[in-house]
Amino acid sequence: MITVEVVLAWPDRAASRVLSLPEGATIAEAIAVAAIDGSAQCPAVAVAVAVHGLLAKPDQVLREGDRVELLRPLLADPKDNRRRRARAGS
């Protein structure tokens, strides 16, 4: 068994679950067991997943102590924001 944490930390909601999973468990399995994403308490849907801040795929196998982070949609396109700041600075 391995211990992992699944975290959702968004501006308007936060939830965290520490899980004991069998070795070889994937990110998708951890998310399903945690029941955070799309649950009644947190109805929002994650658009991506990271492990310790690095983007990861749902079929990635987890290791002891991994922290799975459910990522929210971007509110603005970073490239558009950069262009706006460049225009404002000229």
Side-chain angles (χ1 to χ4, degrees), residues 31-63:
I31 292 170
V33 170
I36 291 176
D37 190 33
S39 70
Q41 296 85 12
C42 297
V45 177
V47 296
V49 180
V51 174
H52 297 294
L54 300 173
L55 286 178
K57 295 182 179 181
D59 61 350
Q60 178 177 319
V61 175
L62 294 167
R63 295 183 297 194

Side-chain angles (χ1 to χ4, degrees), residues 4-89:
V4 299
E5 182 178 17
V6 179
V7 178
L8 179 138
W10 295 1
D12 58 342
R13 63 183 62 99
S16 173
R17 304 279 188 281
V18 176
L19 308 171
S20 286
L21 300 170
E23 290 198 31
T26 64
I27 290 173
E29 292 166 342
I31 292 170
V33 170
I36 291 176
D37 190 33
S39 70
Q41 296 85 12
C42 297
V45 177
V47 296
V49 180
V51 174
H52 297 294
L54 300 173
L55 286 178
K57 295 182 179 181
D59 61 350
Q60 178 177 319
V61 175
L62 294 167
R63 295 183 297 194
E64 174 67 29
D66 276 349
R67 177 184 165 108
V68 177
E69 301 149 2
L70 304 176
L71 305 176
R72 65 187 172 104
L74 291 176
L75 299 178
D77 181 354
K79 289 181 182 179
D80 288 341
N81 286 344
R82 201 172 312 120
R83 285 185 196 109
R84 248 183 262 126
R85 285 193 306 269
R87 277 192 295 259

